[in-house]
Amino acid sequence: MANKKPNVVIIFADDLGYGDVSCFNPESKIKTKNMDKLAEVGMRFTDTHATSALCTPSRYGLLTGRYNWRSSLKSYVVPGDSMLLIEENRKTIAHLLKDNGYNTAAIGKWHLGLKWQLKDHFDYEKFGLNPDEIPGKETRFGRDGIFDISVGRMDFEGLDIDYSKPITFGPNQLGFDYFYGTPASLDQPPFVYIENDRVVEEATEVTGTAMLDRTGVTDQTEWQNGVAAPNFVHREVPDNMQKKALEVIDRFTEDDKPFFLYYPNHLVHGPLIPNEQFEGKSGIGPYGDFVLQLDHYVGEIVDKLKEKGIFEDTIFILSSDNGASGVADFEGLKKHGHNPSYIFKGIKGDIWEGGHREPTIISYPPMIQGGTASNHMISQSDIYRSIAEIIGAKITDDTAEDSISNIPLWQGKNESVREDIVHSSANGGFSIRRGDWKLELVYNGGGLADSRKGAEGQMFQPAELYDLKEDISETNNLIHEHPELVKSLKESLKEYIVKGRSTPGEPQENNRNNPSGEWPQIRWMDGYEEYIARFKYD
């Protein structure tokens, strides 16, 4: 192993809050012993940010090293039956590692769209449905090149997919030698397992709840209505994924090549249905139990790497895709003295820190001193260039345009690697942070409650300015006290938008999300009309 490049394992939790991990939150009522042990041999990054406060866009940012809003998706998340979001010519981190001699695998929740083969109709008859009860739309979100939620979406997904045919573009074409997982979240249809480019068992049944509430506790143990394979059992999915992840490590260690395992875990996203081993274990409800189940999985992966004698030769990254969801039952948890958002304002979907600040631990013994912490600002998009630097890989100018290597921090240097960082909320509103100053260009946090409506009619202007050094909980809005700073931050954000990148290099193009090219979230920008004219169809 001494002459091999390091293996890379990324566990990307779903809806895990910063305050849920006990080594990040001294007041946590959930003892995440395995994550804590990982921190003892690695480094805690206390100022890590997902590029978005929602899961599809943050996954895009992680895998591409590019801010998610440069994609065709400007707000919300894609449906489970969506077309592919990652551009077919874009190089992912999986491509980077595969091209440099790695075996690569992705296990778990994909949620970035797939190039399904479709029928020319909604197959109501196959699933025994009355079409009058499930109205379809000729134009809908996630299809026909349109990623604009305002066009409308079907609440019942997966009716027009030909499950007998292979997926023509997906994880295998995006750099992964092997894929096993589900199209989207644990609560989002179609409820089928996919292995590489094939559905393991065709969807023939229907299940779920209409108009699922994803913002509160009403439907805490339910999932959205849609099509399902006969043997798809929601409670069994996380354990099945864990088994596959362990099998992949076993298989890859038989080869002489290094490997990359991307493990986007389904936990702790709703439905909150912990398996029997963890029911009641936390003492604070099903959400706490689910966190403990995730923690157990982390411990098993670490133990497997140690069993194989490769933990010391592995870059192990643990993080989450966004803040904790309202499904967790914040009010109920707070009665137990537990706050998934810790001291931060906001939850999943919000532009505030609770929406996108993530508990991140990185272990790599040859470089990272165990039991240490870094409080410098980083983005999950930075993982791309950090790994590229370690393995000595070159990156083309049109790749990872918003990724900055964090290696000085891994080496223990107490110096900033980023001058600024950009975040986006569920409804696509922006914030930009420079040092301790954070400007938010969206009203009321831009959270999930507004994101399904589309951006039209919503306010996207500089609304809040915070000094995070003095006000980490974002309670004292200073927007009217520093007009020059607001102007400067707006200009920096405009530059990053127009140039199509935030790193040095040739300008790149952002994608449009609808035929008109309209992008309401940046109407605050001087020269908006001229800029959008570049994106309109002829």
Side-chain angles (χ1 to χ4, degrees):
M1 289 294 297
N3 296 321
K4 277 179 64 175
K5 294 173 181 176
N7 305 303
V8 179
V9 173
I10 298 176
I11 297 182
F12 206 39
D14 198 356
D15 291 3
L16 180 71
Y18 188 104
D20 294 325
V21 183
S22 47
C23 61
F24 285 86
N25 176 10
E27 305 301 320
S28 176
K29 300 302 179 183
I30 309 169
K31 182 61 178 176
T32 51
K33 63 179 183 179
N34 292 302
M35 297 184 204
D36 291 2
K37 286 179 182 178
L38 184 63
E40 289 172 4
V41 295
M43 179 178 286
R44 288 184 303 114
F45 290 81
T46 65
D47 202 355
T48 301
H49 298 269
T51 61
S52 169
L54 283 184
C55 50
T56 293
S58 65
R59 286 155 205 277
Y60 180 97
L62 171 71
L63 289 178
T64 67
R66 188 182 193 224
Y67 283 140
N68 53 273
W69 41 269
R70 301 196 189 284
S71 77
S72 297
L73 185 72
K74 308 303 184 190
S75 66
Y76 202 53
V77 300
V78 297
D81 61 359
S82 171
M83 64 189 291
L84 188 71
L85 178 64
I86 297 179
E87 303 81 11
E88 292 188 16
N89 62 350
R90 182 151 295 278
K91 294 293 185 181
T92 68
I93 194 170
H95 284 126
L96 172 80
L97 291 164
K98 182 178 174 67
D99 292 347
N100 282 272
Y102 279 69
N103 288 319
T104 60
I107 306 293
K109 166 184 169 175
W110 180 242
H111 210 179
L112 286 160
L114 296 160
K115 200 168 184 178
W116 300 99
Q117 295 196 58
L118 304 176
K119 299 179 179 180
D120 60 3
H121 63 286
F122 296 122
D123 202 342
Y124 298 110
E125 183 178 354
K126 175 180 178 180
F127 296 99
L129 297 170
N130 181 351
D132 294 333
E133 296 177 0
I134 308 174
K137 292 181 178 292
E138 291 185 7
T139 302
R140 82 182 206 260
F141 177 55
R143 291 291 178 85
D144 303 318
I146 298 175
F147 286 93
D148 182 352
I149 186 65
S150 67
V151 304
R153 58 187 289 271
M154 289 189 70
D155 188 56
F156 203 105
E157 295 165 9
L159 286 171
D160 59 350
I161 294 171
D162 190 336
Y163 295 99
S164 69
K165 294 182 179 179
I167 295 162
T168 60
F169 207 100
N172 292 146
Q173 290 73 32
L174 288 167
F176 292 102
D177 297 316
Y178 180 74
F179 172 69
Y180 189 91
T182 63
S185 306
L186 194 57
D187 68 345
Q188 195 169 9
F191 299 116
V192 294
Y193 290 111
I194 299 170
E195 187 166 28
N196 291 320
D197 62 349
R198 290 276 184 173
V199 169
V200 174
E201 182 183 33
E202 288 192 34
T204 58
E205 301 180 357
V206 297
T207 183
T209 299
M211 301 307 296
L212 184 75
D213 178 10
R214 290 188 169 96
T215 62
V217 300
T218 306
D219 297 327
Q220 195 178 49
T221 61
E222 306 300 318
W223 47 86
Q224 181 187 334
N225 56 354
V227 305
N231 293 301
F232 190 99
V233 179
H234 286 76
R235 192 183 298 269
E236 296 176 357
V237 171
D239 276 353
N240 289 340
M241 295 300 145
Q242 179 73 356
K243 181 181 178 182
K244 283 291 182 182
L246 294 170
E247 288 175 356
V248 162
I249 294 173
D250 279 332
R251 186 167 74 249
F252 279 173
T253 50
E254 294 174 0
D255 201 324
D256 210 27
K257 297 166 67 175
F259 69 83
F260 170 43
L261 171 60
Y262 169 56
Y263 186 11
N265 203 282
H266 287 83
L267 304 187
V268 289
H269 195 290
L272 304 185
I273 45 175
N275 62 29
E276 186 175 348
Q277 179 183 355
F278 294 95
E279 280 187 323
K281 191 171 183 179
S282 70
I284 64 171
Y287 181 75
D289 300 342
F290 233 17
V291 173
L292 288 179
Q293 186 170 331
L294 171 66
D295 184 65
H296 177 74
Y297 290 158
V298 172
E300 284 191 331
I301 297 294
V302 171
D303 287 346
K304 174 63 72 173
L305 295 172
K306 289 181 177 179
E307 173 195 322
K308 296 294 182 179
I310 57 175
F311 181 77
E312 299 280 322
D313 304 297
T314 299
I315 299 170
F316 194 114
I317 300 172
L318 170 70
S319 195
S320 179
D321 60 352
N322 45 248
S325 165
V327 175
D329 185 10
F330 271 70
E331 291 307 311
L333 291 169
K334 287 178 181 179
K335 289 178 182 177
H336 289 284
H338 182 76
N339 184 354
S341 293
Y342 186 38
I343 59 175
F344 306 116
K345 182 179 181 179
I347 64 175
K348 174 182 180 177
D350 293 334
I351 202 66
W352 301 307
E353 294 293 289
H356 50 77
R357 188 181 286 237
E358 311 304 335
T360 299
I361 303 169
I362 303 180
S363 168
Y364 182 41
M367 179 177 291
I368 294 175
Q369 182 179 349
T372 55
S374 171
N375 62 359
H376 291 289
M377 175 177 65
I378 63 172
S379 171
Q380 288 174 351
S381 64
D382 297 340
I383 291 172
Y384 200 119
R385 286 189 186 268
S386 300
I387 291 175
E389 181 174 339
I390 286 179
I391 67 173
K394 294 189 180 300
I395 295 176
T396 59
D397 195 52
D398 59 350
T399 302
E401 296 98 319
D402 301 299
S403 184
I404 295 172
S405 174
N406 297 162
I407 295 307
L409 302 181
W410 294 23
Q411 295 170 333
K413 294 180 181 177
N414 186 21
E415 59 185 39
S416 298
V417 293
R418 274 187 164 272
E419 178 182 353
D420 49 32
I421 191 169
V422 179
H423 314 302
S424 63
S425 64
N427 73 356
F430 284 95
S431 74
I432 179 169
R433 178 176 157 200
R434 182 188 300 155
D436 293 316
W437 288 100
K438 181 182 176 188
L439 175 67
E440 298 167 0
L441 296 92
V442 58
Y443 285 79
N444 299 319
L448 261 177
D450 293 331
S451 63
R452 288 192 183 193
K453 304 172 186 175
E456 291 298 329
Q458 298 190 46
M459 296 293 287
F460 296 100
Q461 290 289 336
E464 299 176 22
L465 176 72
Y466 297 105
D467 178 0
L468 297 184
K469 183 177 181 180
E470 302 296 330
D471 182 23
I472 193 62
S473 298
E474 298 173 278
T475 59
N476 185 22
N477 185 5
L478 303 174
I479 189 72
H480 299 301
E481 297 182 24
H482 300 277
E484 290 303 314
L485 177 58
V486 171
K487 179 181 179 182
S488 176
L489 289 168
K490 281 177 60 181
E491 285 301 313
S492 292
L493 181 54
K494 175 184 175 180
E495 178 184 350
Y496 296 154
I497 292 170
V498 172
K499 283 189 174 180
R501 66 186 313 135
S502 58
T503 58
E506 289 297 312
Q508 301 295 318
E509 291 289 352
N510 302 312
N511 299 359
R512 62 171 168 255
N513 70 335
N514 56 41
S516 73
E518 291 292 334
W519 191 352
Q521 292 90 343
I522 64 169
R523 282 203 183 118
W524 52 266
M525 195 173 79
D526 292 338
Y528 168 78
E529 294 295 341
E530 293 84 355
Y531 176 72
I532 290 302
R534 294 161 43 185
F535 293 95
K536 295 182 179 180
Y537 285 122
D538 295 331

